[in-house]
Amino acid sequence: MAVSILISFTFSWEVYPAIALMIGIYMGGVYGGSRTAILLNIPGAPSAIATALDGYPMAKRGEAGTAIGVTTVMSFIGGFIGIGVLALAAPLVSEFALTFQPRDYMLLAVLGILLVGSLSQGSLLKGIFAGALGIAIGAVGRDPLTFTERFTFDLQLMEGGISFIAVMIGMFGVSEALLQLHHVHTPSLRQKIGRILPSLATVKKHLPLSLQTSTIGVIIGALPGTGGDIAALMAYDHAKRVTKAPERPFGEGAIEGLVAPETANNAAVGGAFIPMMTLGIPGDAVTAIMIGALFIHGLNPGPMLMIDQPDMFWFIVGCLVTANVFMLLFGLTGIRLFTKIVEMPRAVLIPLIMLLSIVGAYAVNNSVSDVYWMLGFGLFGYFMRQYGYPLGPVILGVILSRLLDDNWRRAIISEREDLGLFFHGLFSSPLSTVLFVAVIVIFVSQTPLWARGKAKLFGKTEKTA
Amino acid sequence: MKRSLLGAIGAIALTATAAVADYPEKDIQGIIQWGAGGSTDTVMRSVTPHAEEALGGSIVLQNMTGAVGAIALNHVAGAAADGYTLLMGAENPMLYKVMGLGDKDYSEFTPINILARGTPMLVANTDAPFDSYAEMMDYIEANPGSVRFGSTGPGGLPSVITAMIETVEGGLDVIAVPYDGDGPALTGLQGGAIDVMPAVLGAAIEGIRAGKMKPLAVFDTAASDKLPDVPAVVDINAEYNTYLPWGPFFGVFAPKGTPDDIVAKLSAAYATGAQNPEFIELMEGRGYTLMGISGDEAEAFLTKWQQGTVWLLQDAGLTKTSPEAFGIKRPGE
Amino acid sequence: MQHLDPDHHDGTSQASPHREAAKRRPGELLFALALSALSLFLLWDAWGIENAFGPNGLSSPRAIPLAASFAMLVSAAIVTLKTARLPLERAETVFRDILPGVVMLFAALLIAYGILLRPLGFLPTSALFLIVAIKLLARRGWGWTIGIAAVSLLVIWLIFRILFSVLMPAGVVPEAEVIQFVRTLFAQGQS
């Protein structure tokens, strides 16, 4: 988000400093979003939603410093893997990304929706409700393909749709602040001042997982239309699936729950540059802005950029490396100062969170109606939390709504609305088949039968937790 | 700090009655109808710094997206006509009425400067079983309902070009696959999700230069000097002369009722800005035709553009409400 | 019952493991009913979505909204039934555990903020909000309250308005003129 705000004053700059600044902010923004997620349970960026799931429980145990340390080192590792793939295999990955057809994107969206299972703690049904609500929220406004009004109730206010960021800030920021009001006069928790840098053994132990989740990050990041937010959630789900015996259960401060999303969302940064550098196609919203900036500065972003101006490619890689190193350095300094935020008196912290939520919601699209939406979802989210409805699936639904909707329709239109041909298409390419099988397997693994089998195995630990 | 602020407020109260001659005495808001990084955005962000210089004031650009640009249009139309809120828009508001997207268009605005016009063209996937416009038409004829055209929704450039082809050549039995912009559609074209895409030359040129897509025809009255080997469609079928040149345009607009001398100041600033060699180079490099018109000339252009386009869409059966209902006359009437 | 236990049912532990609640909180049934009604309404509204420019089949703009609101309705209905069967948590009351006075007060403050933002402008509304909110929560002297509020607001304003050029609604404060005035002052000072 910050990048789109900052572009307005870089366009009078020279192209190199402008690009360098944007990359720095992009990297920093993806990483920095985890800070508030851990300390306040408010993700600072969509890509940090998964980080809050285990990061905040750690802060509640007084281990915010450790959580931030792990997050920083893992972001650095993920970031480097992303940059490495960009530097060494960009053309290869972009060719692969191009082979994704509308039906593959649709399958990817369905895979994403199945994450509702791992995001809804408490009640799966309430999670399904929340996810479907998110999809409906994402559909509000004029449909971008036919301009048909959906859920607008003939109100002009609703035509532009509901800003995803407004929903996120309201649901996580304002509702959390309202909930904290219950404990205004509880003394804040003292944070342990212990070891911040994770030990080499910890890093080594989680290296296999971080390599896997970084791969998820790079690929999701390189696909046009999907980015770090989806990558982080998918990685979190992946970690839950493959980690057999976490030190602590997921959701209560599992280190793996920090490793996975933070490596994935930072690896997605390098991934997002792959289609941008090789094809002139944005990998996400931020690289779209960067392409615009290159254009303003008289460069022609496109497949020829790497051939006409290879120095620009290496300059961007260099900037990414520098940004990643400084992210590690700045990330590790001042952690103790940051953890003090949690120790700030709630009487000041709560009103400030509310005001910053308002300014943040306004700044995204310069619109007062976004502020209203944010406040509305803040109040609604407060009740959802009170009654045990998970909020993660709502945001997941909003993120995936367009991906699912647009690509389902593109896919079925391409087959002239013939469902038979559509299913035939699922087996016409290896990629579609793999994705389809993955959807089936993950879906089956979430059915009650499977859950009952699992409960037999882990039933005891869950009850005591 | 507080005292100087109060002093400042006092000073403003005293000078509040100052004449328009002092315009601009504060930041001007430029509302861009489309998102950051899009073509309207990049054009506006590259010309505005030069215009600011000529104007001697600062113009803060903001993107306000949503509802195909109607949110921004309504916002500026509803703002005070004092020259401090400007709309940076593209051509599509001229179609809002007939498409049922809104009840306002540029007739609620005074054009400050219509900067440039794009040239449409047809591009195809490199693996498509045809290499020229004529071969494509033959292939569609022989294989009805199998060629996939990209589209960007009703009223978008692809829908106008497709309507033009249908009017000139007769019905096309193709599948129109909708995308939310020409960028994603051209990505789909390179990946083989669609076969043919009517796109603006500037968006396709880099892909063509790299051999990632193949050009079929330029929809203009003459071939473009950027792509001299690609035939102009009028050379293939002269009937296109009726509708061409046609193209999406970019312009800066102020709400109607803005004082004349402010409009004149802004127009002069943007006219100077649009003459900046850097801007010209940038636009020509992307195959845009520079226009730089304002005043009556711009009004006349807008009227003519709207008449031609809405009636073309009306005759192709793509409108929601007939242009007649809004008093838009058929061209030549 | 440990009323102040931060882990007690307050929703902050978003990711606590799968655990169905054993009791129904006050107002929970009403909330579930409201969600079911909302879903039904959305389903009805989704059914009315018409594609003005094309067919209304599988590729219609109504397809996904219909599916989503249907899923909402089914899940909300089952949740309602399940909730209705649970015994009520007697240890809790609506006004102490669900909507205590301070939460209602802050909800009202936020709504007031939303209403005042446009006419009054960002700076005065935010100043009022911060002063009232901090005063209410911290219960300390006016000087301290106003000082903290002013410093925080100034920092926020400087970052967003000056650094990021985000134009918040100006309202009654002639913000743009003030900035222009300060700018001219500096320009004159330099020349």
Side-chain angles (χ1 to χ4, degrees), chain A residues 5-6 8-9 41 53 56 60 117 120-126 128-129 132-133 135-136 139 143 146 148-153 174 176 178-186 236 250-252 346-348 350-352 354-356 358-359 362-363 366 368-369 371-372 375 379-380 382-387 389-392 404-405 408-409 412-413 417 419 462 465, chain C residues 4-7 9-20 25-28 31-32 35 38-39 41-42 45-46 49-53 55 57-61 63-65 68 71-72 75-76 78-79 82 96-100 102-103 106-107 110-111 113-114 117-118 122 126 129-130 133-134 137-139 144 148 152-153 156 160 163-164 166-169:
Chain A
I5 291 172
L6 281 172
S8 55
F9 67 87
N41 200 17
L53 295 178
Y56 184 62
K60 281 209 322 201
S120 25
Q121 281 76 22
S123 154
L124 182 62
L125 268 172
K126 286 177 178 173
I128 292 173
F129 175 85
L133 175 71
I135 294 176
D143 156 42
T146 61
T148 310
E149 292 183 51
R150 303 196 287 191
F151 297 137
T152 57
F153 313 109
V174 170
E176 176 70 30
L178 285 173
L179 216 54
Q180 292 284 342
L181 284 172
H182 288 251
H183 316 298
V184 179
H185 301 292
T186 323
Y236 182 79
F250 278 91
E252 295 181 13
R346 289 208 173 100
V348 176
I350 295 172
L352 278 183
M354 289 178 174
L355 187 62
L356 280 172
I358 290 169
V359 180
Y362 179 85
N366 302 299
V368 179
S369 47
V371 175
Y372 297 154
L375 292 175
L379 295 176
F380 185 62
Y382 172 78
F383 284 104
M384 285 184 68
R385 282 185 200 241
Q386 283 285 30
Y387 294 129
Y389 292 80
L391 299 180
L404 176 73
D405 188 18
W408 156 249
R409 284 155 67 195
I412 196 76
I413 283 178
E417 304 227 334
L419 265 181
E462 287 199 11
Chain C
L4 285 176
D5 175 10
D7 276 322
H9 237 350
D10 65 354
T12 44
S13 54
Q14 268 293 296
S16 51
H18 282 269
R19 183 171 50 186
E20 295 279 348
R25 307 192 70 189
E28 189 169 354
F31 188 66
L35 292 183
L38 172 81
S39 313
F41 174 66
L42 287 183
D45 193 70
I49 296 171
E50 294 275 351
N51 183 2
F53 298 100
L58 288 169
S59 67
S60 152
I64 297 292
M72 277 170 72
S75 50
I78 303 177
V79 168
K82 279 194 162 177
R96 204 186 58 208
D97 300 277
I98 308 294
L99 259 185
V102 62
V103 173
F106 267 77
L110 286 174
I111 292 169
Y113 188 104
L117 178 58
R118 237 193 281 244
F122 172 70
S126 307
F129 173 78
L130 282 181
I134 296 176
L137 291 182
R139 294 176 198 149
W144 185 86
I148 294 274
S152 338
L153 184 59
I156 292 176
F160 280 88
L163 200 60
F164 296 160
V166 173
L167 303 177
M168 297 291 291

Side-chain angles (χ1 to χ4, degrees), chain A residues 50-277:
Chain A
T51 313
L53 295 178
D54 280 285
Y56 184 62
M58 284 183 78
K60 281 209 322 201
R61 289 168 185 265
E63 295 169 359
T66 319
I68 293 176
V70 170
T71 304
T72 309
V73 172
M74 286 304 158
S75 296
F76 174 76
I77 294 176
F80 251 116
I81 294 174
I83 300 164
V85 176
L86 168 70
L88 302 174
L92 220 71
V93 176
S94 74
E95 282 302 312
F96 175 62
L98 267 188
T99 60
F100 273 68
Q101 298 297 307
R103 67 167 173 268
D104 302 319
Y105 278 107
M106 191 212 86
L107 289 169
L108 203 64
V110 175
L111 264 182
I113 285 165
L114 292 177
L115 301 184
V116 165
S118 67
L119 291 180
S120 25
Q121 281 76 22
S123 154
L124 182 62
L125 268 172
K126 286 177 178 173
I128 292 173
F129 175 85
L133 175 71
I135 294 176
I137 293 171
V140 172
R142 283 206 183 262
D143 156 42
L145 303 185
T146 61
F147 309 150
T148 310
E149 292 183 51
R150 303 196 287 191
F151 297 137
T152 57
F153 313 109
D154 289 327
L155 296 171
Q156 211 171 45
L157 169 81
M158 315 265 299
E159 270 186 43
I162 300 173
S163 154
F164 153 52
I165 301 294
V167 179
M168 193 190 84
I169 296 178
M171 287 230 157
F172 285 104
V174 170
S175 81
E176 176 70 30
L178 285 173
L179 216 54
Q180 292 284 342
L181 284 172
H182 288 251
H183 316 298
V184 179
H185 301 292
T186 323
S188 317
L189 187 75
R190 294 274 135 202
Q191 291 293 330
K192 287 173 204 159
I193 314 276
R195 189 191 178 97
I196 279 170
L197 206 65
S199 69
L200 206 62
T202 318
V203 175
K204 245 186 203 160
K205 186 183 158 206
H206 297 296
L207 206 59
L209 177 67
S210 59
L211 281 175
Q212 293 162 19
T213 49
S214 295
T215 313
I216 295 179
V218 174
I219 292 173
I220 303 277
L223 288 175
T226 56
D229 41 10
I230 300 177
L233 289 166
M234 287 201 160
Y236 182 79
D237 185 61
H238 176 79
K240 251 182 134 174
R241 216 176 289 285
V242 299
T243 311
K244 290 282 174 271
E247 281 163 44
R248 270 189 217 137
F250 278 91
E252 295 181 13
I255 298 275
E256 290 84 357
L258 286 176
V259 171
E262 284 304 314
T263 44
N265 64 23
N266 284 281
V269 173
F273 278 91
I274 290 176
M276 171 193 156
M277 296 309 301

Side-chain angles (χ1 to χ4, degrees), chain B residues 123-179:
Chain B
V123 285
N125 176 280
T126 41
D127 298 327
F130 36 78
D131 292 314
S132 69
Y133 177 83
E135 282 176 41
M136 177 191 83
M137 294 309 288
D138 291 344
Y139 187 85
I140 293 173
E141 185 88 18
N143 303 281
S146 68
V147 176
R148 290 160 303 171
F149 267 55
S151 91
T152 55
L157 175 139
S159 76
V160 176
I161 294 299
T162 315
M164 215 181 268
I165 301 175
E166 292 198 321
T167 314
V168 170
E169 309 266 2
L172 284 177
D173 193 357
V174 295
I175 304 171
V177 184
Y179 282 85

